[in-house]
Amino acid sequence: MMYFSFPFFALLASSIAFQFPITSPYFHISNDWSYENCGSPDDAVDIRRISLNPDPPSAGKSLEVKLMMNVYNAIEEGSYVDVVVKLGLIKLLKKEFDACETLRNYNSTIQCPVAPGSYEVTHTVDLPREIPLAKYNIEAEGYTNNDHPMLCLKVIADFRFPPK
């Protein structure tokens, strides 16, 4: 399901890691997916942009996810991201991900501790063909090892209509 790639957005953003100027927090990316920065200017990570290739994503195909972000406070061991994936009002997944462990598991070019600075991270995932035709809501809230807000990201992925 989609949650294989979306925790990566959040976790990359956290240590990294789906960022946006606070002046215009909602970005409609395509008819099939969008994201919203629900964080504050005080967050440790600001994801400036998320881009997908192909856009929109397609079930059964590889998806390249590119994150461009600023890290303002070092992201260290113990940082985590709470991810919730919903189908309508039904929770499909509620899980806490260790940000640094996830970066290691995804063999990311960024590893903890992540120093303050600007980063661009690209990751490719293979989406399963069995993604049910539905609209998914993914919410990720990240926290530093001191439990200070790291990021907040809401992603909507709509697989109700097959690509043309």
Side-chain angles (χ1 to χ4, degrees):
M1 297 186 119
M2 282 302 291
Y3 63 82
F4 292 115
S5 60
F6 288 104
F8 185 73
F9 289 167
L11 296 174
L12 277 184
S14 57
S15 74
I16 14 185
F18 51 149
Q19 75 195 88
F20 334 59
I22 297 301
T23 55
S24 179
Y26 184 79
F27 288 77
H28 183 79
I29 302 301
S30 76
N31 289 334
D32 300 295
W33 78 282
S34 61
Y35 65 88
E36 174 187 357
N37 179 2
C38 48
S40 78
D42 298 327
D43 286 354
V45 175
D46 177 33
I47 302 174
R48 295 188 322 268
R49 182 161 171 70
I50 299 173
S51 63
L52 302 182
N53 185 22
D55 185 358
S58 296
K61 303 218 172 146
S62 291
L63 175 66
E64 180 184 85
V65 179
K66 184 182 287 187
L67 298 167
M68 288 145 280
M69 73 209 77
N70 290 325
V71 174
Y72 298 112
N73 300 327
I75 306 302
E76 300 174 342
E77 293 292 335
S79 299
Y80 62 97
V81 179
D82 292 324
V83 176
V84 176
V85 179
K86 293 181 184 176
L87 176 62
L89 297 175
I90 300 169
K91 271 187 202 171
L92 300 177
L93 172 77
K94 182 177 181 181
K95 186 171 180 180
E96 181 178 292
F97 291 87
D98 180 297
C100 296
E101 180 182 333
T102 300
L103 290 173
R104 285 189 294 273
N105 291 345
Y106 276 105
N107 221 8
S108 175
T109 55
I110 297 175
Q111 297 292 316
C112 290
V114 179
S118 294
Y119 295 92
E120 182 175 302
V121 178
T122 301
H123 181 69
T124 301
V125 295
D126 293 322
L127 298 180
R129 285 192 285 172
E130 305 80 26
I131 297 174
L133 298 177
K135 183 176 178 182
Y136 298 88
N137 295 294
I138 301 101
E139 298 174 6
E141 292 185 16
Y143 300 91
T144 65
N145 58 342
N146 297 322
D147 286 326
H148 296 301
M150 186 167 50
L151 70 117
C152 181
L153 179 65
K154 292 182 181 180
V155 177
I156 296 172
D158 193 345
F159 286 92
R160 292 179 293 182
F161 309 105
K164 296 173 184 163

